[in-house]
Amino acid sequence: MLRVGNKAACLACRNLVSTNMGVRFRVPLQKLHPLSRAIHHRYSGNANPQRPPHRTAARYFTSMSRLPMRPPKPPSGSGGQGHQQQRNFWVASLAARLLKLRYILLGSAVGGGYTAKKTYDEWKEMLPDFSEYNWVIPDFVWELSEQIDLDKLAKALPEMEEIAKLLPDFDKIGENFTFLKSLLSSETSGDPPLKATDSSTSAAQEGSDKQYKKSSDKERVDLLQEELLRTQLKYQRMLERLEKENKELRKVVLQKDDKGIHQRKVKKSLIDLYSEVLDILSDYDANYNTQDHLPRVVVVGDQSAGKTSVLEMIAQARIFPRGSGEMMTRSPVKVTLSEGPHHVAMFKDSGREFDLSKEEDLAALRHEIELRMRKSVKAGQTVSCETISLSVKGPGIQRMVLVDLPGVISTVTAGMASDTKETIFSISKAYMQNPNAIILCIQDGSVDAERSIVTDLVSQMDPQGKRTIFVLTKVDLAEKNLASPNRIQQIVEGKLFPMKALGYFAVVTGKGSSGESIDSIKDYEEEFFQNSRLLKDGMLKAHQVTTKNLSLAVSDCFWKMVRESVEQQADVFKASRFNLETEWKNNYPRLRELDRNELFEKAKNEILDEVISLSQVTPQHWEAILQKKLWERVSTHVIENIYLPAAQTMDSGTFNTTVDIKLKQWTDKQLPHKALEVAWETLQEEFARFMAEYKGKDQDDIFDKLKEAVKDESIKRHKWNERAMDSLRVIQHNALEDRSITDKPQWDAAIQFMEETLQSRLKDTESVIGDMVGPGWRQRWLNWMNRTPDQHIRNETKNELERLLKLHDEHTAYLANDEVTTVRKNLEGRGVEVDPVLIKDTWHQLYRRHFLQKALSHCNLCKRGFYYYQRHFVDSELECNDVVLFWRIQRMLVITANTLRQQLTNTEVRRLEKNVKEVLDDFGEDMEKKTHLITGRRVQLAEDLKKVREIQEKLEAFIEALHKEK
């Protein structure tokens, strides 16, 4: 630096600074450029034998030659005239000198500016380019003034003396800059014109100066790097302390807000709004090519690479189940991280909060996650694509949404499904192909990089690395095991793998023990990097290490991606909503837009109304239906197993005894069960009838499958009370034991019942015989029909057996063997070969018809037999015990129908209604069941409309909150 003496400036310099140079104000000499000051002293009156340092520099940066030190003497012999001539050109000489000074000053200014610019450029090139790492710094650093109470922070800050200790040594830095400046603007101390004899000496000296300059430059750069690293560490510790204090202050504020939560409506946080949108999208079956392209952080990596550990460090809690080498993550886990006063976790579909500060709650949370994973995996599979949604809140947690995916494997081991590898690849690709998804690629640093599988997969999905963040885990083991630490530097600089990434990070996730706490892991990680050669030797930068820096970078990148893409996604869903609404208006203009749940509720109300309608059925209707159906069910048994065998007896006493025994056996074993079956079938039929009648009014056919399924399931679940069966058995016993017909109307009713029954049976028997023998001669002539060979044989057999019955009118119900042989031989004599079984079968039907015809004739005779019945058939050849039997059966039917009707109306209808409600409730909770039973384009269109509207509304609310936060 040149120092100006106390002497006054010469007249030329004063004139130079005056109006001739266009300067509007007077400038002191000390404010002039050093080159200008050098020029000034050159032309001052003081003859200084020592040249100022910048004199040579002035000559170098100007193209002017050496200026004369004194004015030239006048030539001898000029005399006074020459002196007068010199005096005449004094003004011109002064002007010429002033013009020369102007050029010297201009040249010096240009040269000095060029020198300063060159010095600044060389100094700037020595510094690294930090513009590529601006994204690493989170938003809250730029917004500290908005988020932190500056008054409280100022009070919490240390004294100036303590801060001064943390600042770098500015004297050393000044010396370094002075040294750099002296190197760039070194000056020679001799005269400018160099002699030829001095050229060799100057060249040698210049070479030695350059070599010394290079070596000293390298030392200075190393010193600067060490000083910069120390400064960064000091500021980082200070920032961590401030952040910790800020976290405590925010926790106090949030706790105060929680105390007044009941007094106002809870306002959801920004990340919670965004997470709700992602939850809805996960259940949405996209149509019209509307895909979920909203951002989320997708955590991928090889199995046991440390994915889950990194996620736990970001969430600040050991929340995931752990295993030694085995696959633990069997399905995607979506974790929504947000800030809150308490460190808690909660599932999307559960109201329970897990306190992450308590070890028992942590263990319960890990167990619940493992159970949900195993439940989501279908039989015969190893992994599932079903997403488990979990939210974690706590003080100081960075807000973001992460999805932990199953680890990528290279080989399917024993116990795994054969398609496990392909399934994991497909799940990973499905999440990573989202163009707005941030890929957090986890690589195990303790194993050879060539064994990694996930890097190739990530390179395929994001070849340019525009949304990938690479994380190298287990760096402590890598530094210990690797012979060449430069390999780690190549990895974090992106030179070893073929993949590209936005940023590269190195982290330590503990010593490998499952019992380590998050705080102990953080302390171990910080201690490792403070003592690590990787950071000291410059292989890793300070911003590339620790999971804390990683979480800040990932959160910042996540929200940057959200802000860039969320409005575009909202527009996409808006267009999809317009398309869906247009389709509904065109196809279903007069119908309300009811989704599957709303349609189910409508169908549920209709079904319950139909069940309640059963209580409106009259008792007479119930009893008539029950009596008719019960007789249809038991009539065959009564005729074939009770009436016909008893009718074969010779006297009335044996007849009544046989009837009593068979009725008792029938009542003990079969009759109550048959009655309850009839009652249950009657209830079903009436239920179905009411549903069908309701359908005829305003019923929507979209409910048919659901109603049928509800009816079948309700019937399947319904069981009649066993006590009711026991009481019904007693009632039937008492009814069948009563033989006293009290009046003539009851007798006539029994006669009518018996006659209708016998006529019905006779008609059925005639039909069976007609099918056996084929058409008669009239049908054959009129309808051109012929008998089959079998029918011809049966017809011949029938004719032969009818002749036998005419000869023996009182024949028993069964043929004797000799009678069978006689009939077969008679038929063979007419050329008809017949089997004995066919003869007996034909005889059964013929005798049945013969018996029924005789019974009908006897029934007509008994119409006048009530008088003889009252006298117990004394002195009368007429015996009507069969009428009494049918009266007993009829009375049992009436009493049973009345009992069943009471049980139906008082108990079973209510139980059916309860069963229907339970079935409907079960179906309502089973979404898969509802999807199967309520189907159709109309339903799917309403479902899509509801989902798209909900997604759009959630996105708009989120975007509004996002703008407010900005």
Side-chain angles (χ1 to χ4, degrees):
M1 300 285 293
L2 295 175
R3 300 187 179 274
V4 182
N6 295 326
K7 293 184 178 181
C10 65
L11 180 62
C13 289
R14 294 182 181 276
N15 293 333
L16 180 64
V17 182
S18 65
T19 59
N20 291 338
M21 296 303 294
V23 181
R24 297 183 181 180
F25 54 88
R26 300 190 61 84
V27 181
L29 187 60
Q30 287 83 354
K31 298 295 182 69
L32 292 177
H33 192 276
L35 300 177
S36 302
R37 297 206 300 249
I39 296 171
H40 164 75
H41 287 285
R42 171 71 182 272
Y43 286 93
S44 63
N46 183 21
N48 190 1
Q50 294 181 354
R51 297 175 179 174
H54 283 273
R55 176 179 176 184
T56 307
R59 289 199 200 118
Y60 282 149
F61 289 112
T62 60
S63 58
M64 305 294 291
S65 60
R66 180 190 294 266
L67 295 178
M69 293 296 295
R70 301 179 183 85
K73 294 181 180 182
S76 59
S78 60
Q81 185 178 358
H83 180 70
Q84 185 66 28
Q85 187 177 5
Q86 181 179 2
R87 289 182 60 188
N88 292 337
F89 290 98
W90 178 81
V91 177
S93 175
L94 181 61
R97 286 178 178 270
L98 290 176
L99 289 175
K100 288 182 180 181
L101 285 174
R102 180 183 65 185
Y103 288 127
I104 292 172
L105 181 62
L106 180 62
S108 300
V110 172
Y114 175 76
T115 303
K117 183 178 183 303
K118 186 175 180 182
T119 303
Y120 173 74
D121 291 340
E122 291 181 357
W123 177 76
K124 184 178 179 181
E125 289 176 359
M126 293 173 62
L127 297 177
D129 186 7
F130 294 101
S131 61
E132 298 180 358
Y133 303 99
N134 289 337
W135 63 271
V136 177
I137 303 175
D139 290 342
F140 81 91
V141 175
W142 310 113
E143 301 173 358
L144 285 176
S145 61
E146 299 178 2
Q147 298 183 1
I148 301 177
D149 191 345
L150 296 180
D151 296 335
K152 294 182 179 180
L153 182 61
K155 295 177 182 179
L157 288 175
E159 299 297 333
M160 293 303 297
E161 291 78 2
E162 298 180 5
I163 297 178
K165 295 178 182 180
L166 300 175
L167 295 177
D169 191 347
F170 290 106
D171 294 336
K172 293 184 179 180
I173 295 177
E175 293 176 2
N176 293 333
F177 282 118
T178 304
F179 175 73
L180 292 174
K181 183 176 179 181
S182 63
L183 290 176
L184 295 172
S185 58
S186 59
E187 301 172 354
T188 30
S189 57
D191 291 337
L194 299 176
K195 298 181 180 179
T197 56
D198 298 335
S199 61
S200 60
T201 305
S202 300
Q205 185 178 1
E206 184 178 357
S208 62
D209 290 344
K210 288 182 178 180
Q211 185 175 1
Y212 172 75
K213 179 180 178 180
K214 289 180 181 179
S215 60
S216 59
D217 285 348
K218 185 177 181 181
E219 293 177 357
R220 294 292 184 181
V221 168
D222 293 339
L223 292 175
L224 286 174
Q225 285 182 348
E226 293 180 0
E227 185 70 22
L228 180 62
L229 183 59
R230 287 194 296 270
T231 305
Q232 286 178 341
L233 292 175
K234 290 180 181 179
Y235 282 126
Q236 185 173 359
R237 294 193 189 97
M238 182 178 179
L239 183 61
E240 288 176 355
R241 183 167 58 83
L242 293 176
E243 285 180 355
K244 185 176 180 181
E245 294 175 358
N246 182 33
K247 184 191 298 184
E248 295 296 329
L249 292 175
R250 289 178 65 87
K251 183 176 180 180
V252 172
V253 172
L254 291 172
Q255 287 176 344
K256 289 181 179 179
D257 289 343
D258 276 355
K259 293 179 181 178
I261 248 175
H262 63 280
Q263 300 176 358
R264 68 184 190 279
K265 185 178 179 181
V266 178
K267 183 179 179 181
K268 294 183 178 179
S269 65
L270 193 64
I271 190 65
D272 289 334
L273 291 174
Y274 186 75
S275 180
E276 287 181 359
V277 176
L278 296 183
D279 288 336
I280 298 172
L281 283 172
S282 65
D283 300 329
Y284 175 58
D285 185 15
N287 289 319
Y288 300 95
N289 296 324
T290 304
Q291 298 179 0
D292 175 15
H293 286 168
L294 289 175
R296 69 260 285 163
V297 181
V298 180
V299 186
V300 296
D302 299 326
Q303 182 179 347
S304 302
K307 296 186 294 74
T308 302
S309 299
V310 172
L311 191 53
E312 287 180 336
M313 291 293 291
I314 296 176
Q316 302 180 14
R318 309 298 294 270
I319 59 177
F320 290 103
R322 314 184 68 83
S324 55
E326 62 176 326
M327 178 182 293
M328 298 304 297
T329 306
R330 297 179 178 270
S331 64
V333 181
K334 181 177 77 68
V335 183
T336 303
L337 301 179
S338 59
E339 191 173 18
H342 306 289
H343 203 184
V344 295
M346 181 187 298
F347 290 99
K348 179 187 72 172
D349 55 353
S350 174
R352 178 185 177 185
E353 276 190 352
F354 296 88
D355 188 352
L356 302 184
S357 61
K358 298 179 180 178
E359 186 57 37
E360 55 270 19
D361 278 21
L362 278 172
L365 177 61
R366 290 193 290 266
H367 181 66
E368 180 68 19
I369 293 176
E370 185 175 3
L371 287 179
R372 288 174 178 255
M373 285 184 180
R374 296 188 180 278
K375 184 178 179 181
S376 66
V377 177
K378 297 180 180 179
Q381 299 294 320
T382 305
V383 294
S384 169
C385 59
E386 183 179 341
T387 304
I388 298 173
S389 184
L390 178 70
S391 63
V392 177
K393 296 182 179 181
I397 295 180
Q398 299 299 317
R399 302 175 304 167
M400 68 185 93
V401 177
L402 302 101
V403 182
D404 187 22
L405 299 180
V408 179
I409 60 174
S410 59
T411 305
V412 176
T413 59
M416 293 185 180
S418 58
D419 61 344
T420 302
K421 179 180 177 181
E422 291 75 15
T423 303
I424 295 175
F425 267 84
S426 63
I427 294 174
S428 302
K429 288 182 178 180
Y431 277 91
M432 287 192 293
Q433 69 184 2
N434 178 0
N436 297 322
I438 301 168
I439 304 173
L440 194 63
C441 180
I442 309 297
Q443 169 65 33
D444 189 350
S446 63
V447 299
D448 295 335
E450 291 76 12
R451 294 167 56 186
S452 175
I453 307 172
V454 72
T455 52
D456 294 336
L457 181 61
V458 173
S459 298
Q460 295 175 9
M461 306 309 296
D462 184 24
Q464 301 300 323
K466 295 182 179 180
R467 51 189 181 90
T468 300
I469 297 177
F470 182 86
V471 182
L472 186 67
T473 62
K474 306 177 184 179
V475 183
D476 52 341
L477 299 179
E479 184 184 34
K480 184 187 300 183
N481 298 335
L482 289 180
S484 175
N486 294 328
R487 192 173 178 83
I488 299 177
Q489 183 179 7
Q490 291 178 349
I491 294 175
V492 297
E493 290 179 354
K495 297 179 180 178
L496 189 62
F497 291 110
M499 61 172 288
K500 299 179 181 179
L502 281 172
Y504 297 83
F505 289 86
V507 299
V508 174
T509 55
K511 301 178 181 179
S513 173
S514 59
E516 289 181 289
S517 64
I518 294 296
D519 293 335
S520 63
I521 296 175
K522 285 182 179 180
D523 295 339
Y524 173 70
E525 183 183 42
E526 182 179 356
E527 181 182 358
F528 168 77
F529 283 115
Q530 286 179 355
N531 302 323
S532 175
R533 287 180 49 205
L534 300 173
L535 207 60
K536 291 181 178 180
D537 296 346
M539 299 181 187
L540 294 177
K541 304 299 187 295
H543 66 272
Q544 288 183 298
V545 298
T546 71
T547 50
K548 182 176 182 180
N549 289 337
L550 171 64
S551 63
L552 291 172
V554 173
S555 177
D556 185 68
C557 188
F558 168 76
W559 285 107
K560 180 180 178 182
M561 189 73 77
V562 168
R563 292 186 178 95
E564 291 176 352
S565 62
V566 67
E567 293 188 0
Q568 180 182 359
Q569 289 297 305
D571 293 338
V572 170
F573 282 101
K574 185 176 181 180
S576 177
R577 173 179 176 177
F578 175 79
N579 295 336
L580 293 171
E581 288 177 344
T582 303
E583 182 180 354
W584 184 273
K585 291 177 181 178
N586 293 333
N587 296 327
Y588 313 102
R590 297 183 179 180
L591 295 177
R592 289 193 302 132
E593 298 173 5
L594 299 178
D595 60 13
R596 184 171 282 109
N597 291 329
E598 292 170 337
L599 288 171
F600 180 81
E601 290 300 322
K602 181 180 178 182
K604 178 179 179 180
N605 294 331
E606 291 183 3
I607 293 172
L608 293 177
D609 291 341
E610 293 161 7
V611 175
I612 294 174
S613 300
L614 289 173
S615 61
Q616 300 176 0
V617 179
T618 61
Q620 294 78 9
H621 181 73
W622 277 118
E623 292 180 8
I625 296 175
L626 290 169
Q627 186 175 345
K628 179 182 177 182
K629 292 184 69 67
L630 181 57
W631 176 240
E632 290 176 354
R633 182 66 59 87
V634 302
S635 59
T636 302
H637 181 83
V638 171
I639 299 298
E640 300 293 336
N641 298 92
I642 299 175
Y643 178 53
L644 285 177
Q648 305 302 316
T649 59
M650 301 303 295
D651 53 21
S652 60
T654 308
F655 177 88
N656 291 331
T657 301
T658 304
V659 167
D660 291 342
I661 293 173
K662 290 189 176 293
L663 287 177
K664 179 70 167 60
Q665 294 174 351
W666 181 46
T667 306
D668 290 339
K669 295 181 180 179
Q670 299 180 12
L671 184 57
H673 295 281
K674 294 290 183 182
L676 292 183
E677 289 177 3
V678 167
W680 182 222
E681 290 176 3
T682 303
L683 182 61
Q684 297 177 41
E685 291 177 1
E686 288 299 302
F687 183 32
R689 182 175 67 83
F690 274 98
M691 294 177 71
E693 290 178 358
Y694 200 91
K695 179 179 180 182
K697 299 176 182 178
D698 300 322
Q699 177 66 30
D700 196 339
D701 56 359
I702 205 169
F703 301 145
D704 290 348
K705 289 179 66 176
L706 174 62
K707 289 189 173 183
E708 191 67 24
V710 170
K711 184 187 72 173
D712 295 341
E713 185 65 23
S714 301
I715 292 171
K716 183 179 179 181
R717 294 185 183 185
H718 187 83
K719 292 182 180 180
W720 287 72
N721 193 351
E722 294 182 357
R723 295 181 180 178
M725 184 180 295
D726 295 336
S727 62
L728 181 62
R729 181 180 291 109
V730 173
I731 292 172
Q732 289 172 340
H733 266 300
N734 296 332
L736 290 172
E737 288 178 355
D738 188 7
R739 299 180 187 176
S740 58
I741 304 175
T742 57
D743 53 17
K744 184 69 164 57
Q746 292 185 12
W747 180 269
D748 293 338
I751 293 291
Q752 183 181 358
F753 175 60
M754 177 181 177
E755 188 176 10
E756 290 175 356
T757 302
L758 295 176
Q759 286 178 352
S760 175
R761 292 292 167 178
L762 179 61
K763 185 178 178 180
D764 293 340
T765 304
E766 291 283 0
S767 176
V768 173
I769 294 173
D771 293 337
M772 289 173 58
V773 300
W777 64 270
R778 184 178 296 179
Q779 290 178 338
R780 292 198 302 271
W781 281 99
L782 295 178
N783 299 330
W784 295 86
M785 298 174 65
N786 293 320
R787 290 187 177 124
T788 63
D790 184 63
Q791 290 175 343
H792 176 72
I793 295 172
R794 284 188 177 272
N795 183 62
E796 293 295 332
T797 305
K798 179 183 77 73
N799 294 334
E800 184 66 26
L801 292 174
E802 283 178 347
R803 285 193 291 268
L804 178 62
L805 273 175
K806 287 180 181 180
L807 295 174
H808 304 283
D809 187 60
E810 299 295 332
H811 200 289
T812 61
Y814 301 100
L815 283 174
N817 292 332
D818 55 348
E819 291 176 331
V820 174
T821 303
T822 301
V823 172
R824 184 170 60 84
K825 288 182 177 181
N826 291 338
L827 292 174
E828 288 178 356
R830 294 197 298 266
V832 179
E833 295 290 338
V834 64
D835 187 71
V837 177
L838 187 144
I839 296 173
K840 292 180 180 181
D841 188 22
T842 307
W843 168 258
H844 177 72
Q845 298 299 331
L846 291 176
Y847 181 81
R848 182 187 183 85
R849 182 181 66 178
H850 175 69
F851 171 79
L852 293 174
Q853 289 173 350
K854 287 179 63 177
L856 281 171
S857 300
H858 183 68
C859 183
N860 290 329
L861 293 175
C862 289
K863 289 181 179 180
R864 300 183 299 271
F866 181 68
Y867 172 75
Y868 299 103
Y869 166 74
Q870 288 180 328
R871 298 179 61 184
H872 303 289
F873 302 104
V874 177
D875 299 330
S876 173
E877 296 181 358
L878 181 63
E879 293 182 358
C880 298
N881 294 312
D882 50 356
V883 177
V884 176
L885 170 62
F886 276 93
W887 178 83
R888 294 166 69 183
I889 297 296
Q890 187 182 35
R891 187 168 181 271
M892 181 274 297
L893 293 175
V894 172
I895 294 176
T896 301
N898 181 268
T899 304
L900 292 176
R901 188 265 307 168
Q902 293 180 8
Q903 186 175 355
L904 283 172
T905 55
N906 296 334
T907 306
E908 301 304 332
V909 170
R910 296 178 182 177
R911 291 184 62 202
L912 176 63
E913 182 179 353
K914 182 180 178 182
N915 288 338
V916 170
K917 289 181 179 179
E918 291 177 355
V919 171
L920 287 171
D921 291 340
D922 293 343
F923 283 5
E925 295 175 358
D926 191 347
M927 194 62 198
E928 185 177 353
K929 199 82 172 179
K930 287 193 293 186
T931 305
H932 175 68
L933 296 176
I934 304 178
T935 58
R937 178 56 189 162
R938 169 183 153 197
V939 183
Q940 191 60 46
L941 188 59
E943 282 285 308
D944 293 343
L945 265 171
K946 178 185 177 183
K947 288 291 185 182
V948 170
R949 285 190 183 123
E950 188 177 8
I951 292 169
Q952 184 185 0
E953 291 171 0
K954 294 286 186 181
L955 280 175
E956 289 175 354
F958 171 73
I959 292 172
E960 182 181 358
L962 188 65
H963 290 329
K964 288 182 180 179
E965 188 179 75
K966 286 183 180 180

